[in-house]
């Protein structure tokens, strides 16, 4: 009898450990994303959003196409079978990725990460209500969103108009990001494909649009080997690794729980800046980001664990 109880306890402990392990990709995504925003924030102001988007996600797409090229027939089959969701994934990716570089022209990376990752749980909850008719008390999320936007505006060092523009676009980007988590999971399940397959297909629209903009950009800089090395590094830490981890987290624990982890990114971002930057953030920025992170984490985890994962 005692042996059976011990075996059951060991089995339950193992199950709990495996369940916790499902959160590891999400944690990895948060860490790698924080490092990426620090690296990206300075470069986009020099090169412009079109070139930065084209090189970063062009290299990312080439990587995932290269490693999965033997599955090209599966990609073609998915495109024919589920063209609507494929187009939707690409449209949401354009809104989510290209907007980031436009936003960084108006506000700092800190303002963007506060808004984007702070309101993402609220956007995810609203999509559950709108798309899935799930009963969720949306009022706490709306209050939370208002608090995050206020905190971002107060801590922003940009001019008022630029701050409002950057914050507004960040909310749009967050809504697109939340919708992508939901749609991409359905697309992956419906077509029974791998994480790398989704990542090989999602940037087609982004590359086409940014490529057209780059081709029509006057006085475009000469693309030397140094350019490709820099953007190759940014694509690796800011796109390839975090996107793979994001898709895995979405697969393991679902879009809602994945979105709940993302408010950690502003805090990780500012902590990394204290380590690597010669000009550390202001004390008021640290206080606001810590307070915003704690409020978001407390609110979203105290709310009912609604269905939709």
């Amino acid at each position: 009898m005692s042996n059976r109880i011990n075996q059951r306890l060991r089995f339950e402990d193992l199950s709990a450990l495996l369940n916790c392990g499902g959160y590891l990709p999400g944690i990895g995504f948060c860490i790698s994303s924080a490092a990426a925003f620090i690296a990206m924030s300075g470069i986009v102001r020099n090169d412009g959003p079109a070139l930065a988007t084209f090189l970063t996600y062009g290299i990312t797409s080439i990587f995932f196409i290269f490693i999965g090229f033997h599955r090209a027939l599966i990609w073609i089959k998915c495109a024919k079978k589920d063209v609507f969701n494929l187009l939707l994934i690409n449209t949401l990716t354009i809104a989510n990725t290209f907007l980031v570089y436009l936003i960084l022209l108006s506000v700092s990376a800190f303002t963007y990460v506060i808004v984007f990752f702070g309101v993402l749980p609220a956007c995810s909850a609203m999509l559950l209500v709108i798309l899935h008719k799930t009963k969720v008390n949306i009022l706490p999320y709306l209050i939370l969103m208002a608090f995050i936007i206020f905190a971002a505006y107060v801590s922003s060092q940009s001019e008022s108009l630029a701050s409002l523009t950057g914050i507004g676009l960040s909310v749009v980007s967050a809504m697109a990001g939340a919708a992508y988590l939901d749609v991409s999971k359905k697309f992956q399940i419906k077509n029974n494909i791998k994480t790398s397959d989704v990542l090989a297909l999602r940037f087609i629209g982004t590359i086409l649009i940014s490529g057209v903009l780059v081709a029509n950009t006057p006085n475009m800089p000469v693309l030397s080997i140094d350019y490709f090395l820099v953007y190759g590094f940014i694509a690796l830490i800011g796109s390839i690794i975090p996107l793979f981890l994001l898709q895995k987290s979405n697969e393991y624990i679902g879009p809602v729980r994945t979105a709940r982890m993302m408010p950690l990114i502003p805090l990780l971002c500012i902590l990394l800046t204290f380590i690597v930057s010669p000009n550390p953030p202001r004390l008021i920025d640290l206080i606001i980001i810590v307070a915003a992170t704690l409020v978001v984490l407390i609110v979203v985890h105290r709310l009912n664990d609604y269905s939709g994962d």
Side-chain angles (χ1 to χ4, degrees):
M1 186 71 173
S2 176
N3 289 335
R4 287 183 180 178
I5 293 174
N6 289 334
Q7 287 177 354
R8 182 179 295 177
L9 288 174
R10 284 196 294 269
F11 178 76
E12 290 176 353
D13 290 342
L14 179 61
S15 298
L17 182 62
L18 291 174
N19 288 335
C20 291
Y23 286 84
L24 291 178
I27 295 171
F29 169 77
C30 292
I31 295 172
S32 58
S33 295
F37 282 117
I38 294 173
M40 285 194 310
S41 57
I43 292 175
V44 67
R45 294 180 183 273
N46 294 325
D47 298 340
L51 182 60
T53 302
F54 180 73
L55 289 178
T56 301
Y57 295 103
I59 293 170
T60 301
S61 187
I62 289 171
F63 173 83
F64 286 111
I65 290 173
F66 177 78
I67 66 171
F69 189 73
H70 61 285
R71 296 174 60 82
L73 290 177
I74 296 176
W75 300 343
I76 295 171
K77 183 179 178 182
C78 289
K80 290 181 178 179
K81 177 183 175 182
D82 199 6
V83 64
F84 175 77
N85 280 321
L86 180 60
L87 290 173
L88 186 56
I89 285 173
N90 273 267
T91 302
L92 293 170
T93 298
I94 293 168
N96 184 224
T97 57
F98 192 73
L99 277 180
V100 174
Y101 293 100
L102 291 175
I103 291 163
L104 293 178
L105 293 176
S106 300
V107 294
S108 69
F110 288 123
T111 302
Y112 169 73
V113 295
I114 289 172
V115 177
F116 182 87
F117 296 108
V119 306
L120 197 61
C123 294
S124 183
M126 285 190 287
L127 285 175
L128 279 177
V129 174
I130 296 169
L131 299 179
H132 302 287
K133 309 302 180 184
T134 305
K135 292 183 179 180
V136 179
N137 183 8
I138 207 70
L139 181 60
Y141 286 101
L142 295 177
I143 295 173
L144 178 64
M145 181 182 284
F147 169 77
I148 292 297
I149 291 172
F150 176 75
Y153 181 78
V154 170
S155 64
S156 175
Q157 298 182 35
S158 303
E159 295 180 356
S160 294
L161 181 59
S163 295
L164 292 173
T165 301
I167 290 170
L169 291 176
S170 296
V171 173
V172 174
S173 181
M175 185 63 76
Y180 169 80
L181 290 175
D182 186 64
V183 174
S184 66
K185 183 180 181 181
K186 291 179 182 176
F187 181 75
Q188 186 173 2
I189 293 172
K190 180 179 179 180
N191 295 285
N192 193 26
I193 55 177
K194 297 180 179 180
T195 296
S196 57
D197 295 328
V198 179
L199 295 174
L201 294 169
R202 69 171 291 196
F203 295 109
I204 299 169
T206 299
I207 294 169
L208 288 174
I209 289 180
S210 59
V212 170
L213 292 173
V214 167
N216 289 281
T217 300
N219 303 320
M220 192 183 76
V222 178
L223 299 180
S224 63
I225 188 66
D226 292 338
Y227 254 90
F228 287 101
L229 288 175
V230 169
Y231 276 102
F233 175 73
I234 290 175
L236 179 65
I237 67 165
S239 185
I240 294 171
I241 293 175
L243 284 174
F244 182 81
L245 292 173
L246 175 64
Q247 203 70 40
K248 276 296 179 185
S249 179
N250 199 31
E251 178 184 342
Y252 290 162
I253 62 175
V256 174
R257 290 191 178 94
T258 296
R260 288 179 181 182
M261 298 179 69
M262 293 184 184
L264 288 170
I265 293 176
L267 182 59
L268 291 170
C269 190
I270 202 167
L271 291 176
L272 287 174
T273 303
F274 270 107
I275 297 172
V276 302
S277 176
N279 300 313
R282 300 175 304 171
L283 179 60
I284 185 63
D285 293 337
L286 177 61
I287 293 172
I288 289 174
I289 290 177
V290 170
T293 301
L294 291 176
V295 168
V296 172
L297 291 175
I298 291 170
V299 170
V300 299
H301 287 284
R302 281 188 176 275
L303 292 170
N304 292 331
D305 188 20
Y306 45 82
S307 61
D309 287 342

